[in-house]
Amino acid sequence: MKLSDKELEIIEILEKDARTPIDVLAKMIELPVEETEALVKKLEEANVIVQYTALVDWRKADGHEGVTAMIDVKVTPKRGVGFDEVAERIYRFPEVKSVYLMSGAYDLSVVIEGRSMADVAQFVSEKLSTLDSVISTTTHFILKKYKHDGIIFDQGDQDRRIVVAP
Amino acid sequence: MKPHTRKTYVSETVAGLKPSGIRRFFDLASSLDDVVSLGVGEPDFVTSWSIREASILSLEQGYTSYTANAGLFELRQEIAAYLRRKFHVEYRPEAEILVTVGASQAIDLALRAIVNPGDEVIVVEPGFVAYEPLVVLAGGTPVAVHASGADGFQLAPARIEQAITERTKAVIICSPNNPTGTVLRPSELDALARLAERHDFLVIADEIYAELTYEGEYTSMAAVPGMRERTILISGFSKGFAMTGWRLGFAAAPQDILQAMLKIHQYAMMCAPTMAQYGALEALRNGEHEVEHMRNSYRRRRNYFVAALNEIGLPCHLPGGAFYAFPSIRHTGLTSEQFAERLLLEEKVAVVPGNVFGASGEGYIRCSYASSLEQLQEAIKRMKRFLARL
Ligand SMILES: Cc1ncc(COP(=O)(O)O)c(C=O)c1O
């Protein structure tokens, strides 16, 4: 889908802050509110804007425990469907946050979120490793998130400028 | 015992300079908490990491000594390439480019290099606060020519012509302008060029905001036919590259003028800071993408902010560049100082009164939109409330 300059601007603005009010957005891209609304709707319907999500720093939510693991998975591709079939069987599990087909030492990179390490271990040993096509798995637990999807966690981004300057 | 008294040693010239109106607002705003500041004349971006990294690397490698007086030759070459690429003007890095401590120092050097006692320098107002005092410090006489809000603060060549005398040495222009954001039209630059030729004076062109021009091609004064030999082009890294604290700028000018500037520079400053020069080198080589990103971000915020100002009843022309909006507050019946002070005390929004930038700024306020969108929205909300109460 070929996007217009205005549509590209909308995506850029909403990708950075999905909560930008529609009247503000309209002013930023110099279009009337109704037209802006229509463009946003169109982008949503075409699945260019897939979803609006919140990036959460869970460490700050007391009582919330959770671990994230990245698992390197080697699989045997199947004739006719290649890696797609096994990838789908994996990404359908709700525990699985993302699945990528990779080049290099392994085939699929699978990100899992669980409440505890034991949780993740159980998922890997009982659900993932037991799939027919899966040859091997290597599990890496994430110890700390510094940057995620282009956003730096705990960035000291307070305004350091003096209040009035030439 | 009576304490020793001493006479005042401060020179008459310095004693005669009026304190900056910006300073007063800084003191006032700093004494309050929770101020939403639109008073900041600098980017709200931190210098991009690759530039910071290049500067750190230069320190790690031990580049901690003086550079050539005129600046690292490599950097001057990059500046020459940049001026060719951006403005289509040719300068020889070995003789016509000087790396300075901010555009500020370049303006000072330009004036000191050309002004004889009593020479007149025409300053277009509203304009950057440092021009007039620097003319005075160089021993010259500033002559103010006012741009009019009715014309979006364009240059008024006819009025400049009226101000020209035998003693006119130069005209200082700034495009995009601080505080009005106005980008001077090529036709106006042309008209000024013809005056400069006819009356034989120089143009000091402060083009520090050139990177932050939102529509169309930017026209540098030096690129106007016949003007390369009559222009001292001043720019720097502060605004476009978000490097205000680095204190790095440059001047490009015909050899005789530039060498005169260099003479002063080598005694007064020796050279610009070395680590900053390495950062600047990276900025020019690989910074374009970041600059574009920042420019887009300012442009969108400008669109929002200027439309919102007009909506709440502060009429404002659409500024073509920099990151300032300069709305009129005349209809409120308040002076720009009264308006700014009451807005600060009653709603905690800091803006700069327009008269700080010269008499023609009276009736206006300068609002910098180099602030987060949230802050801008909050400022608009508070200003609207303030206006409703007047
Ligand atoms: C028009 C203008 N010229 C020059 C400067 C000074 O720039 P620098 O930081 O490079 O000294 C400023 C800074 O506000 C400015 O607005």
Side-chain angles (χ1 to χ4, degrees):
Chain A
M1 164 170 180
K2 177 107 181 81
L3 300 180
S4 68
D5 285 350
K6 298 284 184 199
E7 287 166 336
L8 282 169
E9 293 230 33
I10 290 177
I11 304 178
E12 265 181 59
I13 295 165
L14 292 183
E15 189 177 25
K16 191 150 170 276
D17 183 4
R19 286 164 53 104
T20 309
I22 193 78
D23 60 317
V24 173
L25 180 63
K27 286 191 180 81
M28 289 174 93
I29 64 167
E30 298 180 283
L31 281 183
V33 172
E34 304 75 51
E35 248 177 86
T36 310
E37 242 167 354
L39 286 180
V40 172
K41 193 134 188 271
K42 180 180 152 202
L43 289 165
E44 288 168 0
E45 279 168 0
N47 251 334
V48 176
I49 295 175
V50 182
Q51 200 171 81
Y52 302 98
T53 64
L55 180 63
V56 179
D57 189 349
W58 281 110
R59 288 170 308 168
K60 301 224 171 91
D62 278 349
H64 179 92
E65 285 161 44
V67 292
T68 308
M70 299 182 77
I71 305 168
D72 312 340
V73 185
K74 283 190 196 165
V75 298
T76 329
K78 277 212 183 116
R79 183 178 295 216
V81 290
F83 293 99
D84 294 354
E85 189 190 83
V86 60
E88 177 164 2
R89 290 192 63 184
I90 294 173
Y91 70 61
R92 291 284 176 202
F93 286 113
E95 296 89 333
V96 172
K97 293 298 156 192
S98 55
V99 177
Y100 309 102
L101 180 61
M102 310 292 288
S103 68
Y106 55 94
D107 305 302
L108 295 174
S109 174
V110 177
V111 179
I112 308 275
E113 273 175 25
R115 263 171 321 203
S116 62
M117 279 178 146
D119 238 22
V120 173
Q122 190 179 10
F123 176 82
V124 174
S125 60
E126 290 179 8
K127 299 193 171 143
L128 199 56
S129 313
T130 53
L131 290 174
D132 268 356
S133 319
V134 170
I135 303 166
S136 73
T137 62
T138 310
T139 303
H140 313 274
F141 286 101
I142 289 177
L143 302 181
K144 183 171 179 179
K145 280 186 192 166
Y146 292 102
K147 187 176 185 181
H148 182 82
D149 276 355
I151 309 290
I152 297 173
F153 280 79
D154 276 338
Q155 182 159 225
D157 61 353
Q158 76 273 31
D159 198 337
R160 292 191 179 85
R161 298 174 301 169
I162 55 176
V163 266
V164 178
Chain B
M1 210 170 67
K2 232 177 86 189
H4 288 289
T5 54
R6 70 173 181 61
K7 62 188 178 209
T8 282
Y9 287 91
V10 175
S11 82
E12 285 165 25
T13 314
V14 174
L17 293 178
K18 64 175 190 311
S20 165
I22 290 212
R23 182 75 225 171
R24 204 178 78 79
F25 261 81
F26 171 73
D27 291 340
L28 197 58
S30 305
S31 65
L32 303 170
D33 292 328
D34 301 323
V35 170
V36 174
S37 182
L38 307 179
V40 184
E42 60 178 318
D44 65 330
F45 293 97
V46 177
T47 312
S48 80
W49 175 248
S50 65
I51 296 173
R52 289 187 269 160
E53 167 72 24
S55 183
I56 293 167
L57 180 67
S58 79
L59 291 177
E60 281 178 354
Q61 291 176 334
Y63 291 116
T64 57
S65 36
Y66 296 129
T67 67
N69 293 127
L72 284 170
F73 187 60
E74 268 177 295
L75 177 57
R76 281 179 281 149
Q77 282 179 311
E78 269 320 317
I79 291 170
Y82 169 79
L83 293 175
R84 188 180 314 122
R85 185 164 79 229
K86 282 267 158 199
F87 306 148
H88 319 293
V89 278
E90 291 285 339
Y91 286 100
R92 288 178 295 129
E94 58 284 358
E96 297 179 319
I97 289 174
L98 173 62
V99 178
T100 58
V101 181
S104 301
Q105 194 216 350
I107 300 164
D108 186 35
L109 289 175
L111 289 164
R112 288 207 275 161
I114 62 169
V115 169
N116 289 314
D119 278 353
E120 292 173 359
V121 177
I122 293 175
V123 179
V124 180
E125 292 184 353
F128 181 47
V129 292
Y131 299 148
E132 281 200 17
L134 289 177
V135 171
V136 172
L137 287 170
T141 306
V143 176
V145 167
H146 300 290
S148 147
D151 189 23
F153 297 100
Q154 275 296 326
L155 203 59
R159 267 185 259 170
I160 289 180
E161 185 159 24
Q162 285 166 13
I164 294 169
T165 72
E166 281 292 291
R167 302 237 57 158
T168 302
K169 199 63 175 277
V171 175
I172 305 181
I173 59 169
C174 178
S175 172
N177 179 278
N178 173 7
T180 62
T182 298
V183 178
L184 298 179
R185 287 189 290 257
S187 55
E188 258 69 11
L189 294 177
D190 246 13
L192 179 61
R194 300 295 77 81
L195 288 179
E197 282 175 341
R198 184 138 33 92
H199 299 275
D200 195 7
F201 59 77
L202 292 172
V203 175
I204 297 175
D206 183 345
E207 305 190 344
I208 185 129
Y209 292 99
E211 284 286 1
L212 306 180
T213 304
Y214 305 117
E215 265 91 29
E217 271 266 298
Y218 179 79
T219 307
S220 168
M221 192 66 204
V224 173
M227 284 311 286
R228 187 192 175 287
E229 292 308 310
R230 298 195 167 272
T231 302
I232 304 177
L233 192 166
I234 285 164
S235 190
F237 298 86
S238 288
K239 314 291 170 162
F241 295 93
M243 294 173 69
T244 48
W246 296 64
R247 310 310 308 124
L248 208 66
F250 59 87
Q255 182 165 348
D256 57 336
I257 298 171
L258 194 104
Q259 292 306 310
M261 291 168 67
L262 173 60
K263 216 190 267 180
I264 309 169
H265 177 73
Q266 72 190 9
Y267 294 128
M269 208 61 73
M270 311 266 273
C271 67
T274 303
M275 56 189 157
Q277 293 191 53
Y278 280 101
L281 204 50
E282 167 67 19
L284 292 180
R285 284 182 179 158
N286 301 311
E288 196 153 316
H289 185 72
E290 286 280 331
V291 171
E292 191 187 332
H293 167 73
M294 295 190 279
R295 178 170 49 235
N296 281 336
S297 164
Y298 292 131
R299 178 174 47 78
R300 290 180 194 130
R301 286 183 273 170
R302 173 202 65 166
N303 292 346
Y304 162 68
F305 190 67
V306 173
L309 283 175
N310 281 303
E311 239 172 57
I312 63 171
L314 291 180
C316 185
H317 72 282
L318 187 70
F323 33 62
Y324 307 109
F326 203 60
S328 168
I329 51 100
R330 190 158 285 141
H331 62 287
T332 63
L334 300 175
T335 65
S336 54
E337 291 236 4
Q338 287 166 339
F339 187 97
E341 190 161 333
R342 282 188 55 185
L343 181 62
L344 179 60
L345 296 176
E346 294 174 27
E347 288 290 349
K348 303 224 177 131
V349 176
V351 300
V352 183
N355 68 329
V356 161
F357 306 97
S360 52
E362 181 50 77
Y364 296 86
I365 52 170
R366 189 193 75 175
C367 308
S368 160
Y369 51 81
S371 269
S372 71
L373 193 59
E374 293 72 47
Q375 292 272 295
L376 295 178
Q377 287 174 259
E378 179 63 24
I380 288 287
K381 201 172 92 190
R382 296 184 186 189
M383 286 161 96
K384 186 175 177 183
R385 206 158 55 198
F386 177 70
L387 289 166
R389 227 184 12 249
L390 284 181

